[in-house]
């Protein structure tokens, strides 16, 4: 049994035991904690999963092709800012509409993809160190987005532009428990629920997916059969940027309705947690989604704990998701990275 399976089993078992104890002693602190877990909590956890999981999926595509993209945090920042900026710029006297929000969403994805293209050119054409290039993308985004916010709005935080309306599926939304969670949700949640199995299918059941895996494991063999390794890596990094763009736009336009550029910005480490998620999932989109949901659920839980009035410092409650990340990294065991990840390749190399 792998360490991941043991961790998952232990986590599920612990949750079940704590849940039963909380139901048996409703007046206790544990009972109040269990009382915070309801349909609205599950819906919030799923929404919070969107930026983390999309970043994780993007990281899988890039790294499986041999390009380590640790600039995912920066791509989330750029897309979150661009979506709000474009939606606000297109708003008329009556304010933003769903149309302007969707145009902002498309612009956000395009901006993230363009940044990913720049990253790909630097790494593939000019053979820059991928780690340094990824850090540069993050640092540029971390400085550029708040600076542009000050230029546009006079402050690092944007005004509210509203959020994308939920999509409610008739009849299915009325199903108890699962209906409000899965069938009356933000559009970005539906995108994520479609993107996870689609990513798995592309990577495991298509010729393009086999090219991606070969590009990251043995690029010389892929080159020998006549497939352009550079094109495969370019395509994979662009897919990475597109997916991260959906995640960033989902954060600003699907959840918050504004851009917050203070400190580490509203993205607040979600790109880095996305990297942890796909490492925990061992480059499997399904596993990465599960890990992302775990971290997002803990993030939603710390908010519920504060709302429930637990007598703990807010700062202590707020670090719960990040402490979990450290624990996961410590006990997850060895993750096998692609053999050629981070290595440059030129056609014809011996």
């Amino acid at each position: 049994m792998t360490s991941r399976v043991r961790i998952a089993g232990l986590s599920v078992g612990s949750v079940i035991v704590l849940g039963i104890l909380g139901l048996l002693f409703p007046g206790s602190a544990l009972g109040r904690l269990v009382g915070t877990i309801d349909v609205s909590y599950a819906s919030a956890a799923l929404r919070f999963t969107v930026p983390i999981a999309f970043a994780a999926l993007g990281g899988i595509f890039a790294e499986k092709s041999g390009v380590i993209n640790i600039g995912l945090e920066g791509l989330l920042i750029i897309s979150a800012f661009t979506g709000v900026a474009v939606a606000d710029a297109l708003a008329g006297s009556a304010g933003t509409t769903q149309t302007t929000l969707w145009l902002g969403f498309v612009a956000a994805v395009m901006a993230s993809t363009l940044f990913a293209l720049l990253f790909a050119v630097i790494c593939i054409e000019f053979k820059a160190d991928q780690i340094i290039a990824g850090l540069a993308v993050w640092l540029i985004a971390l400085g550029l987005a708040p600076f542009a916010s000050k230029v546009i709005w006079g402050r690092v935080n944007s005004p509210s532009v509203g959020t994308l309306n939920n999509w409610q599926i008739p009849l299915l939304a009325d199903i108890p428990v699962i209906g409000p969670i899965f069938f009356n949700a933000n559009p970005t949640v539906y995108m994520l629920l479609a993107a996870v199995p689609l990513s798995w299918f592309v990577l495991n059941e298509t010729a393009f997916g086999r090219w991606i895996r070969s590009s990251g494991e043995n690029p010389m063999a892929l080159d020998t059969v006549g497939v352009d390794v550079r094109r495969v890596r370019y395509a994979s990094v662009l897919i990475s940027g597109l997916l991260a763009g959906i995640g960033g736009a989902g954060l600003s336009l699907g959840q918050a309705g504004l851009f917050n550029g203070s400190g580490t910005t509203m993205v607040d480490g979600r790109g880095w947690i996305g990297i942890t998620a796909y490492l925990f999932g061992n480059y499997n989109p399904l596993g990465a989604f599960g890990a992302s949901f775990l971290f997002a659920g803990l993030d939603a839980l710390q908010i519920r704990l504060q709302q429930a009035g637990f007598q703990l410092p807010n700062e202590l409650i707020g670090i719960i998701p990040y402490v979990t990340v450290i624990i996961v990294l410590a006990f997850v065991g060895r993750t096998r990275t692609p053999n050629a990840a981070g290595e440059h390749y030129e056609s014809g190399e011996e």
Side-chain angles (χ1 to χ4, degrees):
M1 183 181 294
T2 66
S3 60
R4 289 178 179 80
V5 174
R6 288 195 295 270
I7 291 173
L10 180 61
S11 300
V12 172
S14 299
V15 169
I16 293 175
V17 171
L18 290 175
I20 293 174
L21 291 175
L23 293 175
L24 292 175
F25 303 98
S28 65
L30 182 59
R32 287 192 292 135
L33 173 60
V34 172
T36 66
I37 311 301
D38 54 16
V39 170
S40 63
Y41 166 79
S43 298
L46 197 55
R47 288 196 308 273
F48 290 178
T49 305
V50 168
I52 299 174
F54 269 115
L57 293 177
I60 290 173
F61 272 93
E63 194 158 336
K64 268 189 168 292
S65 75
V67 180
I68 302 173
N69 185 3
I70 67 167
L72 295 169
E73 179 86 358
L75 298 181
L76 291 179
I77 294 173
I78 284 297
S79 53
F81 163 76
T82 302
V84 172
V86 171
D88 185 58
L90 295 176
S93 57
T96 54
T97 64
Q98 288 298 298
T99 300
T100 57
L101 289 175
W102 277 112
L103 290 173
F105 189 95
V106 172
V109 175
M110 291 176 61
S112 175
T113 306
L114 287 174
F115 259 72
L117 175 60
L118 176 62
F119 169 74
V121 169
I122 292 172
C123 293
I124 299 173
E125 296 295 335
F126 297 99
K127 299 183 179 180
D129 183 282
Q130 295 172 8
I131 302 298
I132 295 176
L135 288 173
V137 170
W138 167 52
L139 292 172
I140 290 171
L142 188 61
L144 179 61
F147 172 76
S149 297
K150 287 186 177 181
V151 172
I152 297 172
W153 299 298
R155 59 185 187 276
V156 295
N157 299 336
S158 77
S160 177
V161 297
T163 59
L164 298 169
N165 290 338
N166 280 10
W167 288 354
Q168 181 174 333
I169 301 178
L171 299 180
L172 294 179
D174 297 327
I175 299 175
V177 183
I178 66 171
I181 298 174
F182 295 104
F183 305 115
N184 184 11
N186 192 267
T188 56
V189 171
Y190 293 116
M191 292 180 190
L192 177 61
L193 295 178
V196 171
L198 180 60
S199 296
W200 182 91
F201 179 81
V202 169
L203 289 169
N204 294 280
E205 301 295 334
T206 67
F208 179 60
R210 290 191 290 273
W211 295 347
I212 292 175
R213 298 200 309 272
S214 296
S215 176
E217 295 289 349
N218 192 343
M220 186 181 299
L222 185 63
D223 189 23
T224 301
V225 298
V227 178
D228 192 326
V229 174
R230 290 170 64 257
R231 289 187 178 181
V232 172
R233 290 186 171 183
Y234 266 115
S236 300
V237 175
L238 289 178
I239 292 173
S240 175
L242 184 148
L243 291 169
I246 297 175
L251 177 62
S252 60
L253 298 178
Q255 298 179 30
L258 50 80
F259 176 76
N260 185 336
S262 302
T264 56
T265 77
M266 65 189 300
V267 174
D268 197 24
R270 288 174 173 84
W272 302 113
I273 296 178
I275 294 174
T276 303
Y278 76 71
L279 292 175
F280 179 65
N282 202 22
Y283 299 91
N284 185 320
L286 302 178
F289 171 76
S292 299
F293 185 75
L294 168 65
F295 298 139
L298 290 168
D299 193 18
L301 179 61
Q302 60 96 1
I303 294 175
R304 284 300 182 94
L305 289 175
Q306 294 177 14
Q307 294 174 343
F310 277 79
Q311 299 302 311
L312 292 172
N314 290 342
E315 294 79 8
L316 182 60
I317 295 177
I319 67 172
I320 289 175
Y322 305 101
V323 171
T324 304
V325 169
I326 296 173
I327 295 173
V328 167
L329 286 174
F331 293 99
V332 70
R334 184 176 182 273
T335 296
R336 197 190 74 80
T337 59
N339 289 329
E343 297 180 3
H344 303 293
Y345 180 78
E346 282 291 341
S347 180
E349 286 184 349
E350 297 294 338

